[in-house]
Amino acid sequence: DGGITQSPKYLFRKEGQNVTLSCEQNLNHDAMYWYRQDPGQGLRLIYYSQIVNDFQKGDIAEGYSVSREKKESFPLTVTSAQKNPTAFYLCASSIFLQAYSNQPQHFGDGTRLSIL
Amino acid sequence: KNEVEQSPQNLTAQEGEFITINCSYSVGISALHWLQQHPGGGIVSLFMLSSGKKKHGRLIATINIQEKHSSLHITASHPRDSAVYICAVRSAGGGADGLTFGKGTHLIIQP
């Protein structure tokens, strides 16, 4: 079955460490997204990519970095510059970039990141 | 930027009850999404609609473009429907992904 796989489900980070969250999709989608979810808030866009080797900052990109070397993979690195990294992180994909057409959004099961 | 408001924020009901969750937005949209977030955190897309009504099993979604309002209904609710339901809209003034998300409605169905 096609879908989005995020790993790990739970991740712990020490102060000053960078950590990388994995996101893989086998839906053959061009567009991929990373969202952050905090209690009582709507999803906020961190980074997005509409095609391989291209990615753009979302609304809250500071302290994060991404890469898109393969169509199916869009890893997110939470750097030590992110002052409040504890949150739930969701990866999503769509056939094309949502901004250009109406289409369903597919989501992974998320990664919960906590600071030790 | 579009503002998306959901109501109620929290809803507890008994099994079998008819459930309604509301979503209002502030500016014109091209599409509205209803999403279901399971207790473990994963999100599933339930509906995408731009007019009228859609039905899938016990779930019904309606939208009134003139009133800038959508509702998600659950008939014959069951404890397995317990989840957070999120409304998201696609509009010209949205973010880079074109979507603005509501804060969600936390639904608990008690047996």
Side-chain angles (χ1 to χ4, degrees):
Chain A
D1 287 336
I4 298 178
T5 301
Q6 288 188 243
S7 62
K9 192 168 180 63
Y10 299 94
L11 188 58
F12 300 92
R13 192 192 94 171
K14 292 182 180 178
E15 295 279 354
Q17 277 186 338
N18 293 352
V19 289
T20 298
L21 283 59
S22 170
C23 177
E24 303 278 331
Q25 55 100 356
N26 60 3
L27 298 165
N28 201 33
H29 287 174
D30 281 327
M32 297 186 74
Y33 316 82
W34 273 105
Y35 294 96
R36 172 179 170 139
Q37 187 179 37
D38 294 283
Q41 294 196 39
L43 274 66
R44 293 183 290 168
L45 182 66
I46 304 173
Y47 266 98
Y48 68 99
S49 167
Q50 61 177 329
I51 200 167
V52 175
N53 293 322
D54 175 78
F55 49 84
Q56 304 294 331
K57 292 181 179 180
D59 301 319
I60 55 166
E62 186 175 350
Y64 300 97
S65 66
V66 293
S67 63
R68 187 86 186 276
E69 297 177 1
K70 299 185 296 182
K71 186 174 185 178
E72 58 270 23
S73 180
F74 191 41
L76 172 75
T77 296
V78 184
T79 75
S80 57
Q82 171 50 240
K83 297 307 178 188
N84 186 22
T86 296
F88 188 63
Y89 292 88
L90 283 155
C91 178
S93 72
S94 57
I95 297 175
F96 304 115
L97 199 63
Q98 278 285 354
Y100 300 148
S101 67
N102 292 332
Q103 57 191 289
Q105 191 97 328
H106 297 257
F107 288 86
D109 287 338
T111 293
R112 192 167 300 279
L113 175 64
S114 300
I115 300 302
L116 291 178
Chain B
K1 192 175 171 85
N2 218 333
E3 299 292 332
V4 179
E5 295 289 336
Q6 288 187 235
S7 63
Q9 286 186 325
N10 298 284
L11 177 59
T12 300
Q14 295 300 120
E15 183 173 357
E17 286 189 37
F18 182 81
I19 303 299
T20 296
I21 298 170
N22 298 299
C23 176
S24 298
Y25 49 93
S26 57
V27 299
I29 65 170
S30 58
L32 183 143
H33 300 250
W34 279 105
L35 310 171
Q36 180 190 52
Q37 185 168 30
H38 299 297
I43 291 180
V44 174
S45 178
L46 297 175
F47 296 103
M48 182 183 67
L49 65 165
S50 54
S51 65
K53 175 180 174 179
K54 286 191 175 180
K55 184 176 188 292
H56 181 69
R58 295 180 294 105
L59 301 176
I60 303 166
T62 64
I63 188 168
N64 185 318
I65 297 296
Q66 288 73 30
E67 294 187 2
K68 297 185 176 62
H69 180 268
S70 175
S71 292
L72 177 68
H73 304 286
I74 305 175
T75 62
S77 59
H78 190 275
R80 64 175 174 266
D81 297 324
S82 299
V84 176
Y85 292 84
I86 300 170
C87 170
V89 301
R90 178 173 175 268
S91 56
D97 60 343
L99 295 178
T100 304
F101 294 83
K103 294 179 181 180
T105 294
H106 188 193
L107 174 66
I108 296 174
I109 304 296
Q110 296 178 334

